[in-house]
Amino acid sequence: MWEEAITLCKELVEQYENEIFDYELLSKTLEKQAKFYQNIMKILRPKPDYFAVGYYGQGYPPFLRNKVFIHRGKEYERREDFQNQLMSQFPSAVRLNTTTMPGDDIKNSPLQYIQCFTVQPVLEIPPRLKNKPVPDQIVNFYKSNYVQRFHYSRPVRKGPVDPNNEFASMWIERTTFTTVYKLPGILRWFEATDVKHTTLSPLENAIETMESTNEKILTMINQYQTDATLPINPLSMLLNGIVDPAVMGGFAKYEKAFFTEEYTQQHPEDRDKLIRLKDLIAWQIPLLGGGISLHGKRVTDDLRPFHERMEECFKQLKKKVEKEYGVRELPDLDERKSSRPRSILRSIRHSIISISSLQGSDCQMPTKPYADSLQLLGSFSVPAAAWSSTTVEETVVTVGETEVKMRKSKKKKKRSSMVFITEERERTSTLDCRRLSKKQEFRSDTNLSEP
């Protein structure tokens, strides 16, 4: 886990730089830290699977009896391999092939029962990454690490079943497991102390599916833009499965199931959810357009006919969706990758304009907008010449106590190497007057007169 190594490197850097003052070790540690950052962005890391294991029956010791634990699997470890290893530790246990919670007859049985199935970790984005354009390589780490909640979803059928449209009657029973500590930790498994059961309606399931699909398209586009060596087949299968209605039907089945007058009248409480689903469908079009454009640049000559057919299907789909749900446009890629938001750049540019206009103005009292601009520029690095010229202008027109203060600050300023003739003459005349006054004072004290 390079993220943990970076944290340790930062602690060592603090010690080497501010406590021990060993710059040689400091440089080596910073080189290692830079290497870890490069690994995060360039090296593909496998995602481990998580398994929920229930130990039911009175035959287990008390710390396992009738409890559920979440196990973190090894890299590329399948559920079958993990389950076989688990059964080797409890050879007399009976394997349960269902994923539902067992009844009291099994929990109170003197035998041992084991239940094992795969669960999906729930992403918990750190606060420092929220609402920021974070690369996928950084976010992907938190999809399977530092997780504490896990989902298991099981489809169920309720009400009348439509053989032509399974989405209209597909409900989801979801079980959420919350562990006592985040995984991975000091152990590869922790007890699930909280278990909740919820049910998702067919419309909520459709919304969640559309969100997942859009996220998958965007993630794959970013991957192919970052790495030019990736094979084109996964992108082709994903785009064709959505664009070509003959493959999976796309979201046309959602329209037949939910975007009808009958459904709207029977479920008036789902009005906001219907708007949300339409918005997700509309946003899928620019994502598909970006993916197909990228696919056209990478596709080989033998797959060119396949790409042209996919483009034709997309044109028809785009025309239909934009007519019914409106047009959505994604921001430019270069703008999304900008290291600094445009609003900050505009404020900096505006503050520089304000200072330059103040320097070129007449010698007058600064107004409130100029003062605000000066306060704003206090947080940025501004050349010293801009401040010195502004201070000189203000000291010329200001009177009273303020004049004295500004003159004191003026004396502290560094003298310029350029001296004008008029300034030199004034300085010479001033010095002559001072010498003359001292000479007269000396003569008056000694009662001497001029010869």
Side-chain angles (χ1 to χ4, degrees), residues 175-229:
T175 305
T176 304
F177 301 93
T178 304
T179 57
V180 62
Y181 300 110
K182 291 185 178 182
L183 285 168
I186 192 173
L187 299 176
R188 299 185 66 91
W189 53 282
F190 287 121
E191 181 184 356
T193 56
D194 186 25
V195 181
K196 294 182 179 179
H197 302 277
T198 56
T199 303
L200 300 181
S201 65
L203 179 58
E204 293 173 341
N205 181 34
I207 293 174
E208 195 173 88
T209 303
M210 286 296 302
E211 290 177 346
S212 176
T213 303
N214 291 353
E215 180 68 22
K216 188 182 300 183
I217 297 173
L218 183 59
T219 301
M220 189 164 290
I221 290 175
N222 292 334
Q223 290 177 353
Y224 277 85
Q225 286 178 339
T226 304
D227 190 356
T229 61

Side-chain angles (χ1 to χ4, degrees), residues 415-442:
R415 294 176 58 89
S416 176
S417 59
M418 297 179 61
V419 180
F420 294 96
I421 298 175
T422 56
E423 295 180 358
E424 183 66 24
R425 289 177 179 175
E426 292 177 0
R427 190 180 299 109
T428 304
S429 61
T430 304
L431 291 174
D432 293 340
C433 293
R434 290 181 178 176
R435 291 173 182 172
L436 182 59
S437 62
K438 289 184 177 180
K439 183 178 181 181
Q440 292 175 353
E441 183 180 358
F442 174 76

Side-chain angles (χ1 to χ4, degrees), residues 302-325:
D302 55 342
L303 293 178
R304 181 61 61 179
F306 167 78
H307 176 76
E308 292 177 353
R309 168 174 169 74
M310 191 163 55
E311 280 186 332
E312 291 296 328
C313 295
F314 174 70
K315 290 180 181 178
Q316 299 176 4
L317 183 66
K318 181 180 179 181
K319 182 179 179 181
K320 173 181 176 296
V321 171
E322 290 183 349
K323 180 180 178 181
E324 295 184 3
Y325 309 121

